[in-house]
mmCIF file with all atom_site columns, all heavy atoms in Angstrom:
data_model
loop_
_atom_site.group_PDB
_atom_site.id
_atom_site.type_symbol
_atom_site.label_atom_id
_atom_site.label_alt_id
_atom_site.label_comp_id
_atom_site.label_asym_id
_atom_site.label_entity_id
_atom_site.label_seq_id
_atom_site.pdbx_PDB_ins_code
_atom_site.Cartn_x
_atom_site.Cartn_y
_atom_site.Cartn_z
_atom_site.occupancy
_atom_site.B_iso_or_equiv
_atom_site.pdbx_formal_charge
_atom_site.auth_seq_id
_atom_site.auth_comp_id
_atom_site.auth_asym_id
_atom_site.auth_atom_id
_atom_site.pdbx_PDB_model_num
ATOM 1   N N   . VAL A 1 19  ? 11.518 126.691 403.440 1.00 84.00 ? 19  VAL A N   1
ATOM 2   C CA  . VAL A 1 19  ? 11.759 128.117 403.664 1.00 84.00 ? 19  VAL A CA  1
ATOM 3   C C   . VAL A 1 19  ? 13.077 128.316 404.409 1.00 84.00 ? 19  VAL A C   1
ATOM 4   O O   . VAL A 1 19  ? 13.900 129.150 404.026 1.00 84.00 ? 19  VAL A O   1
ATOM 5   C CB  . VAL A 1 19  ? 10.583 128.763 404.437 1.00 84.00 ? 19  VAL A CB  1
ATOM 6   C CG1 . VAL A 1 19  ? 10.959 130.113 405.010 1.00 84.00 ? 19  VAL A CG1 1
ATOM 7   C CG2 . VAL A 1 19  ? 9.370  128.893 403.521 1.00 84.00 ? 19  VAL A CG2 1
ATOM 8   N N   . ALA A 1 22  ? 15.939 127.604 402.035 1.00 77.00 ? 22  ALA A N   1
ATOM 9   C CA  . ALA A 1 22  ? 16.103 128.671 401.044 1.00 77.00 ? 22  ALA A CA  1
ATOM 10  C C   . ALA A 1 22  ? 16.802 129.884 401.658 1.00 77.00 ? 22  ALA A C   1
ATOM 11  O O   . ALA A 1 22  ? 17.698 130.475 401.042 1.00 77.00 ? 22  ALA A O   1
ATOM 12  C CB  . ALA A 1 22  ? 14.751 129.067 400.468 1.00 77.00 ? 22  ALA A CB  1
ATOM 13  N N   . TYR A 1 29  ? 19.584 126.421 396.393 1.00 52.00 ? 29  TYR A N   1
ATOM 14  C CA  . TYR A 1 29  ? 18.769 125.718 397.386 1.00 52.00 ? 29  TYR A CA  1
ATOM 15  C C   . TYR A 1 29  ? 17.738 124.791 396.758 1.00 52.00 ? 29  TYR A C   1
ATOM 16  O O   . TYR A 1 29  ? 17.279 123.866 397.406 1.00 52.00 ? 29  TYR A O   1
ATOM 17  C CB  . TYR A 1 29  ? 18.056 126.713 398.306 1.00 52.00 ? 29  TYR A CB  1
ATOM 18  C CG  . TYR A 1 29  ? 17.107 127.625 397.570 1.00 52.00 ? 29  TYR A CG  1
ATOM 19  C CD1 . TYR A 1 29  ? 15.776 127.254 397.372 1.00 52.00 ? 29  TYR A CD1 1
ATOM 20  C CD2 . TYR A 1 29  ? 17.533 128.831 397.049 1.00 52.00 ? 29  TYR A CD2 1
ATOM 21  C CE1 . TYR A 1 29  ? 14.914 128.069 396.670 1.00 52.00 ? 29  TYR A CE1 1
ATOM 22  C CE2 . TYR A 1 29  ? 16.677 129.650 396.351 1.00 52.00 ? 29  TYR A CE2 1
ATOM 23  C CZ  . TYR A 1 29  ? 15.373 129.267 396.165 1.00 52.00 ? 29  TYR A CZ  1
ATOM 24  O OH  . TYR A 1 29  ? 14.526 130.069 395.470 1.00 52.00 ? 29  TYR A OH  1
ATOM 25  N N   . ILE A 1 30  ? 17.357 125.007 395.510 1.00 53.00 ? 30  ILE A N   1
ATOM 26  C CA  . ILE A 1 30  ? 16.283 124.219 394.893 1.00 53.00 ? 30  ILE A CA  1
ATOM 27  C C   . ILE A 1 30  ? 16.607 122.732 394.914 1.00 53.00 ? 30  ILE A C   1
ATOM 28  O O   . ILE A 1 30  ? 15.775 121.912 395.280 1.00 53.00 ? 30  ILE A O   1
ATOM 29  C CB  . ILE A 1 30  ? 15.981 124.693 393.453 1.00 53.00 ? 30  ILE A CB  1
ATOM 30  C CG1 . ILE A 1 30  ? 15.410 126.116 393.462 1.00 53.00 ? 30  ILE A CG1 1
ATOM 31  C CG2 . ILE A 1 30  ? 15.018 123.753 392.747 1.00 53.00 ? 30  ILE A CG2 1
ATOM 32  C CD1 . ILE A 1 30  ? 14.013 126.263 394.022 1.00 53.00 ? 30  ILE A CD1 1
ATOM 33  N N   . GLN A 1 90  ? -1.873 125.957 398.456 1.00 89.00 ? 90  GLN A N   1
ATOM 34  C CA  . GLN A 1 90  ? -2.385 125.052 397.427 1.00 89.00 ? 90  GLN A CA  1
ATOM 35  C C   . GLN A 1 90  ? -3.207 123.904 398.012 1.00 89.00 ? 90  GLN A C   1
ATOM 36  O O   . GLN A 1 90  ? -3.615 123.015 397.283 1.00 89.00 ? 90  GLN A O   1
ATOM 37  C CB  . GLN A 1 90  ? -1.216 124.484 396.614 1.00 89.00 ? 90  GLN A CB  1
ATOM 38  C CG  . GLN A 1 90  ? -0.509 125.525 395.778 1.00 89.00 ? 90  GLN A CG  1
ATOM 39  C CD  . GLN A 1 90  ? 0.534  124.908 394.877 1.00 89.00 ? 90  GLN A CD  1
ATOM 40  O OE1 . GLN A 1 90  ? 0.375  123.799 394.374 1.00 89.00 ? 90  GLN A OE1 1
ATOM 41  N NE2 . GLN A 1 90  ? 1.619  125.638 394.640 1.00 89.00 ? 90  GLN A NE2 1
ATOM 42  N N   . LEU A 1 121 ? 3.142  133.096 406.343 1.00 93.00 ? 121 LEU A N   1
ATOM 43  C CA  . LEU A 1 121 ? 3.523  132.844 404.969 1.00 93.00 ? 121 LEU A CA  1
ATOM 44  C C   . LEU A 1 121 ? 2.474  131.970 404.305 1.00 93.00 ? 121 LEU A C   1
ATOM 45  O O   . LEU A 1 121 ? 2.258  130.835 404.714 1.00 93.00 ? 121 LEU A O   1
ATOM 46  C CB  . LEU A 1 121 ? 4.891  132.142 404.902 1.00 93.00 ? 121 LEU A CB  1
ATOM 47  C CG  . LEU A 1 121 ? 6.131  133.035 404.965 1.00 93.00 ? 121 LEU A CG  1
ATOM 48  C CD1 . LEU A 1 121 ? 6.154  133.937 406.171 1.00 93.00 ? 121 LEU A CD1 1
ATOM 49  C CD2 . LEU A 1 121 ? 7.376  132.198 404.897 1.00 93.00 ? 121 LEU A CD2 1
ATOM 50  N N   . LEU A 1 122 ? 1.770  132.550 403.351 1.00 91.00 ? 122 LEU A N   1
ATOM 51  C CA  . LEU A 1 122 ? 0.882  131.761 402.500 1.00 91.00 ? 122 LEU A CA  1
ATOM 52  C C   . LEU A 1 122 ? 1.822  131.185 401.451 1.00 91.00 ? 122 LEU A C   1
ATOM 53  O O   . LEU A 1 122 ? 2.158  131.832 400.460 1.00 91.00 ? 122 LEU A O   1
ATOM 54  C CB  . LEU A 1 122 ? -0.204 132.636 401.888 1.00 91.00 ? 122 LEU A CB  1
ATOM 55  C CG  . LEU A 1 122 ? -1.087 133.368 402.905 1.00 91.00 ? 122 LEU A CG  1
ATOM 56  C CD1 . LEU A 1 122 ? -2.094 134.254 402.199 1.00 91.00 ? 122 LEU A CD1 1
ATOM 57  C CD2 . LEU A 1 122 ? -1.770 132.400 403.827 1.00 91.00 ? 122 LEU A CD2 1
ATOM 58  N N   . HIS A 1 123 ? 2.279  129.999 401.760 1.00 90.00 ? 123 HIS A N   1
ATOM 59  C CA  . HIS A 1 123 ? 3.398  129.406 401.024 1.00 90.00 ? 123 HIS A CA  1
ATOM 60  C C   . HIS A 1 123 ? 2.910  128.551 399.852 1.00 90.00 ? 123 HIS A C   1
ATOM 61  O O   . HIS A 1 123 ? 1.756  128.143 399.811 1.00 90.00 ? 123 HIS A O   1
ATOM 62  C CB  . HIS A 1 123 ? 4.257  128.583 401.988 1.00 90.00 ? 123 HIS A CB  1
ATOM 63  C CG  . HIS A 1 123 ? 5.598  128.258 401.442 1.00 90.00 ? 123 HIS A CG  1
ATOM 64  N ND1 . HIS A 1 123 ? 6.467  129.211 400.977 1.00 90.00 ? 123 HIS A ND1 1
ATOM 65  C CD2 . HIS A 1 123 ? 6.216  127.068 401.266 1.00 90.00 ? 123 HIS A CD2 1
ATOM 66  C CE1 . HIS A 1 123 ? 7.570  128.621 400.546 1.00 90.00 ? 123 HIS A CE1 1
ATOM 67  N NE2 . HIS A 1 123 ? 7.442  127.323 400.701 1.00 90.00 ? 123 HIS A NE2 1
ATOM 68  N N   . LYS A 1 124 ? 3.827  128.312 398.951 1.00 88.00 ? 124 LYS A N   1
ATOM 69  C CA  . LYS A 1 124 ? 3.580  127.592 397.698 1.00 88.00 ? 124 LYS A CA  1
ATOM 70  C C   . LYS A 1 124 ? 2.696  128.426 396.765 1.00 88.00 ? 124 LYS A C   1
ATOM 71  O O   . LYS A 1 124 ? 1.961  127.906 395.945 1.00 88.00 ? 124 LYS A O   1
ATOM 72  C CB  . LYS A 1 124 ? 2.982  126.199 397.941 1.00 88.00 ? 124 LYS A CB  1
ATOM 73  C CG  . LYS A 1 124 ? 3.869  125.315 398.805 1.00 88.00 ? 124 LYS A CG  1
ATOM 74  C CD  . LYS A 1 124 ? 3.292  123.939 398.970 1.00 88.00 ? 124 LYS A CD  1
ATOM 75  C CE  . LYS A 1 124 ? 4.129  123.103 399.926 1.00 88.00 ? 124 LYS A CE  1
ATOM 76  N NZ  . LYS A 1 124 ? 3.548  121.784 400.134 1.00 88.00 ? 124 LYS A NZ  1
ATOM 77  N N   . PHE A 1 125 ? 2.763  129.748 396.960 1.00 84.00 ? 125 PHE A N   1
ATOM 78  C CA  . PHE A 1 125 ? 2.066  130.690 396.096 1.00 84.00 ? 125 PHE A CA  1
ATOM 79  C C   . PHE A 1 125 ? 2.990  130.917 394.900 1.00 84.00 ? 125 PHE A C   1
ATOM 80  O O   . PHE A 1 125 ? 3.557  131.987 394.728 1.00 84.00 ? 125 PHE A O   1
ATOM 81  C CB  . PHE A 1 125 ? 1.801  132.003 396.840 1.00 84.00 ? 125 PHE A CB  1
ATOM 82  C CG  . PHE A 1 125 ? 0.503  132.649 396.515 1.00 84.00 ? 125 PHE A CG  1
ATOM 83  C CD1 . PHE A 1 125 ? -0.515 132.687 397.445 1.00 84.00 ? 125 PHE A CD1 1
ATOM 84  C CD2 . PHE A 1 125 ? 0.292  133.215 395.270 1.00 84.00 ? 125 PHE A CD2 1
ATOM 85  C CE1 . PHE A 1 125 ? -1.723 133.287 397.152 1.00 84.00 ? 125 PHE A CE1 1
ATOM 86  C CE2 . PHE A 1 125 ? -0.909 133.812 394.965 1.00 84.00 ? 125 PHE A CE2 1
ATOM 87  C CZ  . PHE A 1 125 ? -1.925 133.850 395.903 1.00 84.00 ? 125 PHE A CZ  1
ATOM 88  N N   . ASP A 1 126 ? 3.139  129.874 394.103 1.00 82.00 ? 126 ASP A N   1
ATOM 89  C CA  . ASP A 1 126 ? 4.104  129.853 393.005 1.00 82.00 ? 126 ASP A CA  1
ATOM 90  C C   . ASP A 1 126 ? 3.757  130.887 391.933 1.00 82.00 ? 126 ASP A C   1
ATOM 91  O O   . ASP A 1 126 ? 2.583  131.269 391.793 1.00 82.00 ? 126 ASP A O   1
ATOM 92  C CB  . ASP A 1 126 ? 4.186  128.448 392.411 1.00 82.00 ? 126 ASP A CB  1
ATOM 93  C CG  . ASP A 1 126 ? 4.717  127.434 393.425 1.00 82.00 ? 126 ASP A CG  1
ATOM 94  O OD1 . ASP A 1 126 ? 5.321  127.859 394.439 1.00 82.00 ? 126 ASP A OD1 1
ATOM 95  O OD2 . ASP A 1 126 ? 4.529  126.221 393.217 1.00 82.00 ? 126 ASP A OD2 1
ATOM 96  N N   . PRO A 1 127 ? 4.747  131.347 391.185 1.00 77.00 ? 127 PRO A N   1
ATOM 97  C CA  . PRO A 1 127 ? 4.537  132.432 390.213 1.00 77.00 ? 127 PRO A CA  1
ATOM 98  C C   . PRO A 1 127 ? 3.354  132.214 389.264 1.00 77.00 ? 127 PRO A C   1
ATOM 99  O O   . PRO A 1 127 ? 2.609  133.153 388.980 1.00 77.00 ? 127 PRO A O   1
ATOM 100 C CB  . PRO A 1 127 ? 5.865  132.473 389.432 1.00 77.00 ? 127 PRO A CB  1
ATOM 101 C CG  . PRO A 1 127 ? 6.868  131.973 390.408 1.00 77.00 ? 127 PRO A CG  1
ATOM 102 C CD  . PRO A 1 127 ? 6.157  130.924 391.223 1.00 77.00 ? 127 PRO A CD  1
ATOM 103 N N   . GLU A 1 128 ? 3.157  130.990 388.806 1.00 80.00 ? 128 GLU A N   1
ATOM 104 C CA  . GLU A 1 128 ? 2.045  130.748 387.870 1.00 80.00 ? 128 GLU A CA  1
ATOM 105 C C   . GLU A 1 128 ? 0.674  130.848 388.542 1.00 80.00 ? 128 GLU A C   1
ATOM 106 O O   . GLU A 1 128 ? -0.356 130.879 387.867 1.00 80.00 ? 128 GLU A O   1
ATOM 107 C CB  . GLU A 1 128 ? 2.202  129.388 387.168 1.00 80.00 ? 128 GLU A CB  1
ATOM 108 C CG  . GLU A 1 128 ? 1.989  128.183 388.054 1.00 80.00 ? 128 GLU A CG  1
ATOM 109 C CD  . GLU A 1 128 ? 3.232  127.700 388.797 1.00 80.00 ? 128 GLU A CD  1
ATOM 110 O OE1 . GLU A 1 128 ? 4.268  128.377 388.763 1.00 80.00 ? 128 GLU A OE1 1
ATOM 111 O OE2 . GLU A 1 128 ? 3.141  126.632 389.416 1.00 80.00 ? 128 GLU A OE2 1
ATOM 112 N N   . LYS A 1 130 ? -0.118 133.402 390.737 1.00 78.00 ? 130 LYS A N   1
ATOM 113 C CA  . LYS A 1 130 ? -0.350 134.795 391.143 1.00 78.00 ? 130 LYS A CA  1
ATOM 114 C C   . LYS A 1 130 ? -1.637 135.371 390.554 1.00 78.00 ? 130 LYS A C   1
ATOM 115 O O   . LYS A 1 130 ? -2.276 136.203 391.174 1.00 78.00 ? 130 LYS A O   1
ATOM 116 C CB  . LYS A 1 130 ? 0.839  135.681 390.756 1.00 78.00 ? 130 LYS A CB  1
ATOM 117 C CG  . LYS A 1 130 ? 2.080  135.411 391.549 1.00 78.00 ? 130 LYS A CG  1
ATOM 118 C CD  . LYS A 1 130 ? 1.953  135.935 392.946 1.00 78.00 ? 130 LYS A CD  1
ATOM 119 C CE  . LYS A 1 130 ? 3.245  135.710 393.705 1.00 78.00 ? 130 LYS A CE  1
ATOM 120 N NZ  . LYS A 1 130 ? 3.087  135.933 395.103 1.00 78.00 ? 130 LYS A NZ  1
ATOM 121 N N   . PHE A 1 157 ? 2.762  137.298 403.911 1.00 89.00 ? 157 PHE A N   1
ATOM 122 C CA  . PHE A 1 157 ? 3.617  137.188 402.736 1.00 89.00 ? 157 PHE A CA  1
ATOM 123 C C   . PHE A 1 157 ? 3.137  136.008 401.904 1.00 89.00 ? 157 PHE A C   1
ATOM 124 O O   . PHE A 1 157 ? 2.867  134.943 402.450 1.00 89.00 ? 157 PHE A O   1
ATOM 125 C CB  . PHE A 1 157 ? 5.085  136.956 403.147 1.00 89.00 ? 157 PHE A CB  1
ATOM 126 C CG  . PHE A 1 157 ? 5.654  138.090 403.945 1.00 89.00 ? 157 PHE A CG  1
ATOM 127 C CD1 . PHE A 1 157 ? 5.547  138.087 405.327 1.00 89.00 ? 157 PHE A CD1 1
ATOM 128 C CD2 . PHE A 1 157 ? 6.271  139.154 403.321 1.00 89.00 ? 157 PHE A CD2 1
ATOM 129 C CE1 . PHE A 1 157 ? 6.047  139.138 406.080 1.00 89.00 ? 157 PHE A CE1 1
ATOM 130 C CE2 . PHE A 1 157 ? 6.788  140.210 404.067 1.00 89.00 ? 157 PHE A CE2 1
ATOM 131 C CZ  . PHE A 1 157 ? 6.675  140.195 405.457 1.00 89.00 ? 157 PHE A CZ  1
ATOM 132 N N   . GLU A 1 158 ? 3.029  136.227 400.608 1.00 87.00 ? 158 GLU A N   1
ATOM 133 C CA  . GLU A 1 158 ? 2.698  135.140 399.678 1.00 87.00 ? 158 GLU A CA  1
ATOM 134 C C   . GLU A 1 158 ? 4.025  134.667 399.111 1.00 87.00 ? 158 GLU A C   1
ATOM 135 O O   . GLU A 1 158 ? 4.648  135.369 398.316 1.00 87.00 ? 158 GLU A O   1
ATOM 136 C CB  . GLU A 1 158 ? 1.744  135.650 398.602 1.00 87.00 ? 158 GLU A CB  1
ATOM 137 C CG  . GLU A 1 158 ? 0.401  136.056 399.189 1.00 87.00 ? 158 GLU A CG  1
ATOM 138 C CD  . GLU A 1 158 ? -0.490 136.805 398.216 1.00 87.00 ? 158 GLU A CD  1
ATOM 139 O OE1 . GLU A 1 158 ? -0.026 137.155 397.102 1.00 87.00 ? 158 GLU A OE1 1
ATOM 140 O OE2 . GLU A 1 158 ? -1.638 137.061 398.589 1.00 87.00 ? 158 GLU A OE2 1
ATOM 141 N N   . THR A 1 159 ? 4.471  133.495 399.561 1.00 86.00 ? 159 THR A N   1
ATOM 142 C CA  . THR A 1 159 ? 5.832  133.056 399.267 1.00 86.00 ? 159 THR A CA  1
ATOM 143 C C   . THR A 1 159 ? 5.868  131.781 398.433 1.00 86.00 ? 159 THR A C   1
ATOM 144 O O   . THR A 1 159 ? 4.896  131.034 398.364 1.00 86.00 ? 159 THR A O   1
ATOM 145 C CB  . THR A 1 159 ? 6.614  132.826 400.572 1.00 86.00 ? 159 THR A CB  1
ATOM 146 O OG1 . THR A 1 159 ? 5.934  131.840 401.356 1.00 86.00 ? 159 THR A OG1 1
ATOM 147 C CG2 . THR A 1 159 ? 6.752  134.108 401.358 1.00 86.00 ? 159 THR A CG2 1
ATOM 148 N N   . SER A 1 160 ? 7.039  131.575 397.842 1.00 84.00 ? 160 SER A N   1
ATOM 149 C CA  . SER A 1 160 ? 7.283  130.393 397.027 1.00 84.00 ? 160 SER A CA  1
ATOM 150 C C   . SER A 1 160 ? 8.789  130.138 397.025 1.00 84.00 ? 160 SER A C   1
ATOM 151 O O   . SER A 1 160 ? 9.575  131.090 397.059 1.00 84.00 ? 160 SER A O   1
ATOM 152 C CB  . SER A 1 160 ? 6.803  130.645 395.598 1.00 84.00 ? 160 SER A CB  1
ATOM 153 O OG  . SER A 1 160 ? 7.262  129.634 394.734 1.00 84.00 ? 160 SER A OG  1
ATOM 154 N N   . ILE A 1 161 ? 9.174  128.889 396.957 1.00 77.00 ? 161 ILE A N   1
ATOM 155 C CA  . ILE A 1 161 ? 10.608 128.611 396.847 1.00 77.00 ? 161 ILE A CA  1
ATOM 156 C C   . ILE A 1 161 ? 11.127 128.992 395.464 1.00 77.00 ? 161 ILE A C   1
ATOM 157 O O   . ILE A 1 161 ? 12.323 129.052 395.255 1.00 77.00 ? 161 ILE A O   1
ATOM 158 C CB  . ILE A 1 161 ? 10.958 127.132 397.159 1.00 77.00 ? 161 ILE A CB  1
ATOM 159 C CG1 . ILE A 1 161 ? 10.274 126.186 396.190 1.00 77.00 ? 161 ILE A CG1 1
ATOM 160 C CG2 . ILE A 1 161 ? 10.662 126.808 398.604 1.00 77.00 ? 161 ILE A CG2 1
ATOM 161 C CD1 . ILE A 1 161 ? 10.861 124.786 396.189 1.00 77.00 ? 161 ILE A CD1 1
ATOM 162 N N   . TYR A 1 162 ? 10.225 129.266 394.522 1.00 75.00 ? 162 TYR A N   1
ATOM 163 C CA  . TYR A 1 162 ? 10.634 129.645 393.172 1.00 75.00 ? 162 TYR A CA  1
ATOM 164 C C   . TYR A 1 162 ? 10.836 131.147 393.027 1.00 75.00 ? 162 TYR A C   1
ATOM 165 O O   . TYR A 1 162 ? 11.034 131.648 391.935 1.00 75.00 ? 162 TYR A O   1
ATOM 166 C CB  . TYR A 1 162 ? 9.614  129.136 392.150 1.00 75.00 ? 162 TYR A CB  1
ATOM 167 C CG  . TYR A 1 162 ? 9.490  127.637 392.217 1.00 75.00 ? 162 TYR A CG  1
ATOM 168 C CD1 . TYR A 1 162 ? 8.344  127.048 392.712 1.00 75.00 ? 162 TYR A CD1 1
ATOM 169 C CD2 . TYR A 1 162 ? 10.547 126.818 391.841 1.00 75.00 ? 162 TYR A CD2 1
ATOM 170 C CE1 . TYR A 1 162 ? 8.237  125.666 392.806 1.00 75.00 ? 162 TYR A CE1 1
ATOM 171 C CE2 . TYR A 1 162 ? 10.451 125.436 391.939 1.00 75.00 ? 162 TYR A CE2 1
ATOM 172 C CZ  . TYR A 1 162 ? 9.292  124.874 392.418 1.00 75.00 ? 162 TYR A CZ  1
ATOM 173 O OH  . TYR A 1 162 ? 9.199  123.511 392.523 1.00 75.00 ? 162 TYR A OH  1
ATOM 174 N N   . GLY A 1 163 ? 10.775 131.842 394.115 1.00 72.00 ? 163 GLY A N   1
ATOM 175 C CA  . GLY A 1 163 ? 11.030 133.281 394.154 1.00 72.00 ? 163 GLY A CA  1
ATOM 176 C C   . GLY A 1 163 ? 11.194 133.670 395.608 1.00 72.00 ? 163 GLY A C   1
ATOM 177 O O   . GLY A 1 163 ? 10.225 134.022 396.261 1.00 72.00 ? 163 GLY A O   1
ATOM 178 N N   . ILE A 1 164 ? 12.406 133.585 396.119 1.00 68.00 ? 164 ILE A N   1
ATOM 179 C CA  . ILE A 1 164 ? 12.593 133.726 397.567 1.00 68.00 ? 164 ILE A CA  1
ATOM 180 C C   . ILE A 1 164 ? 12.667 135.170 398.050 1.00 68.00 ? 164 ILE A C   1
ATOM 181 O O   . ILE A 1 164 ? 12.843 135.411 399.235 1.00 68.00 ? 164 ILE A O   1
ATOM 182 C CB  . ILE A 1 164 ? 13.828 132.940 398.072 1.00 68.00 ? 164 ILE A CB  1
ATOM 183 C CG1 . ILE A 1 164 ? 15.115 133.489 397.486 1.00 68.00 ? 164 ILE A CG1 1
ATOM 184 C CG2 . ILE A 1 164 ? 13.669 131.469 397.812 1.00 68.00 ? 164 ILE A CG2 1
ATOM 185 C CD1 . ILE A 1 164 ? 16.349 133.010 398.214 1.00 68.00 ? 164 ILE A CD1 1
ATOM 186 N N   . ASN A 1 165 ? 12.501 136.150 397.145 1.00 70.00 ? 165 ASN A N   1
ATOM 187 C CA  . ASN A 1 165 ? 12.617 137.537 397.573 1.00 70.00 ? 165 ASN A CA  1
ATOM 188 C C   . ASN A 1 165 ? 11.595 137.903 398.649 1.00 70.00 ? 165 ASN A C   1
ATOM 189 O O   . ASN A 1 165 ? 11.917 138.613 399.597 1.00 70.00 ? 165 ASN A O   1
ATOM 190 C CB  . ASN A 1 165 ? 12.558 138.497 396.376 1.00 70.00 ? 165 ASN A CB  1
ATOM 191 C CG  . ASN A 1 165 ? 11.403 138.212 395.449 1.00 70.00 ? 165 ASN A CG  1
ATOM 192 O OD1 . ASN A 1 165 ? 10.782 137.150 395.513 1.00 70.00 ? 165 ASN A OD1 1
ATOM 193 N ND2 . ASN A 1 165 ? 11.117 139.132 394.558 1.00 70.00 ? 165 ASN A ND2 1
ATOM 194 N N   . LEU A 1 166 ? 10.363 137.414 398.567 1.00 66.00 ? 166 LEU A N   1
ATOM 195 C CA  . LEU A 1 166 ? 9.372  137.711 399.613 1.00 66.00 ? 166 LEU A CA  1
ATOM 196 C C   . LEU A 1 166 ? 9.687  136.977 400.905 1.00 66.00 ? 166 LEU A C   1
ATOM 197 O O   . LEU A 1 166 ? 9.425  137.480 401.993 1.00 66.00 ? 166 LEU A O   1
ATOM 198 C CB  . LEU A 1 166 ? 7.956  137.378 399.140 1.00 66.00 ? 166 LEU A CB  1
ATOM 199 C CG  . LEU A 1 166 ? 7.338  138.416 398.210 1.00 66.00 ? 166 LEU A CG  1
ATOM 200 C CD1 . LEU A 1 166 ? 5.981  137.947 397.700 1.00 66.00 ? 166 LEU A CD1 1
ATOM 201 C CD2 . LEU A 1 166 ? 7.203  139.758 398.897 1.00 66.00 ? 166 LEU A CD2 1
ATOM 202 N N   . THR A 1 167 ? 10.256 135.797 400.790 1.00 70.00 ? 167 THR A N   1
ATOM 203 C CA  . THR A 1 167 ? 10.674 135.064 401.988 1.00 70.00 ? 167 THR A CA  1
ATOM 204 C C   . THR A 1 167 ? 11.783 135.846 402.689 1.00 70.00 ? 167 THR A C   1
ATOM 205 O O   . THR A 1 167 ? 11.766 135.995 403.919 1.00 70.00 ? 167 THR A O   1
ATOM 206 C CB  . THR A 1 167 ? 11.149 133.655 401.625 1.00 70.00 ? 167 THR A CB  1
ATOM 207 O OG1 . THR A 1 167 ? 10.097 132.987 400.906 1.00 70.00 ? 167 THR A OG1 1
ATOM 208 C CG2 . THR A 1 167 ? 11.519 132.859 402.850 1.00 70.00 ? 167 THR A CG2 1
#
Side-chain angles (χ1 to χ4, degrees):
V19 164
Y29 61 89
I30 294 290
Q90 293 186 35
L121 276 55
L122 302 178
H123 196 55
K124 301 183 185 178
F125 217 110
D126 296 342
E128 70 273 8
K130 291 287 183 192
F157 298 90
E158 295 169 352
T159 59
S160 168
I161 61 164
Y162 300 110
I164 64 165
N165 49 345
L166 282 175
T167 304

